[in-house]
Amino acid sequence: MNSQSIGIFDSGIGGLTVANAISSALPKEHLIYFGDTEHMPYGEKSSELIQEFSVKITKYLIEKKNCKAIVIACNTASAMAYNYLKEEYLGKIPIINVIDPMIELLVESNYQNVGIIATRGTISSGVYQDKLKRRAPHQKYTAIATPLLASMIEENHIEDDVSKAIIHSYLGDPSLSEIDALVLACTHYPLIASIIDTYFDHKVTLLKSGEIVAIKLSEILQKENLLASDHLQKENEFIVSDKTKNFENSAKNFYGQRIKLKEVKL
Ligand code: DGL
């Protein structure tokens, strides 16, 4: 069991920011990443459709690729499909989402006024808002949908006039003017963290999910006795459901090094 792979999935290549954090925290593990580029963006789709895609990918990673744990490296899929997948695989295989570790961090923090930016799907699901209302009732929060950001980043508008104009327009929302922390609640957003940091004049703490999800995964694997004991020498696998040259080029920005993408149709 311990030499089996960890399956990670996202709507596209944004979840590579989480895969990268996992491979740094757990270098002995073998990772299989699945980016559903054929159906991206998830942020604008119905929860029924996202659930259907997520179930298909999870089944593939477990049944075909024999993964020992699944990480949903996408906030939108975590918001819409995690509960279903958790029920489905309860007691069989650990399923980790990117939202709960962030909620834990917020609950234990001293932040007074938290901003949350995410896709339209994540924000309208109300998952962050409901969990915070219940777990941290004294914390003030503002959740706003920033639907153009993920596509903008995928299109490689990272630090140019286009990205600055869009970012400034979203972050200029008056409800964000008093925040002391901002949750980057989409796995694409770490790529524009430095522009956001500059926008807030380094006065707002930016919270990303990669590292905390990697820590959570490591705790769960340890508890379940599933950690790889030896370095698994195989190269990590990166799969997409629709491969284009553009994805291959921008994947490097997300993962931090050039990777080879393989196409698999489910
Ligand atoms: N990476 C996805 C997330 O974390 C968003 C991108 C999309 O809309 O597909 O929510």
Side-chain angles (χ1 to χ4, degrees), residues 10-12 14-15 40-44 73-77 98 119 122 150 154 185-188:
D10 176 46
S11 59
M40 206 190 68
Y42 277 11
E44 299 300 314
C74 172
N75 282 264
T76 317
V98 287
T119 63
T122 300
E154 294 261 351
C186 170
T187 51
H188 283 68

Side-chain angles (χ1 to χ4, degrees), residues 40-76:
M40 206 190 68
Y42 277 11
E44 299 300 314
K45 299 209 162 51
S46 69
S47 58
E48 289 79 11
L49 211 48
I50 291 170
Q51 213 175 82
E52 188 186 311
F53 298 150
S54 302
V55 168
K56 245 190 207 166
I57 299 167
T58 304
K59 272 204 166 127
Y60 169 76
L61 291 170
I62 294 175
E63 291 170 19
K64 288 266 183 328
K65 304 303 263 182
N66 200 24
C67 289
K68 62 182 173 185
I70 299 294
V71 178
I72 310 175
C74 172
N75 282 264
T76 317

Side-chain angles (χ1 to χ4, degrees), residues 102 106 111-118 123 128 132 139-144 171 175-185 200 204-207:
M102 183 59 74
L106 291 171
Y111 302 122
Q112 304 293 315
N113 192 336
V114 177
I116 301 156
I117 53 171
I123 298 299
Y128 275 97
L132 284 179
Q139 205 163 55
K140 191 165 178 269
Y141 63 82
T142 304
I144 64 166
L171 300 182
S175 62
L176 294 177
S177 63
E178 302 281 315
I179 57 170
D180 51 7
L182 180 70
V183 180
L184 306 185
F200 285 115
V204 169
T205 306
L206 303 183
L207 304 171

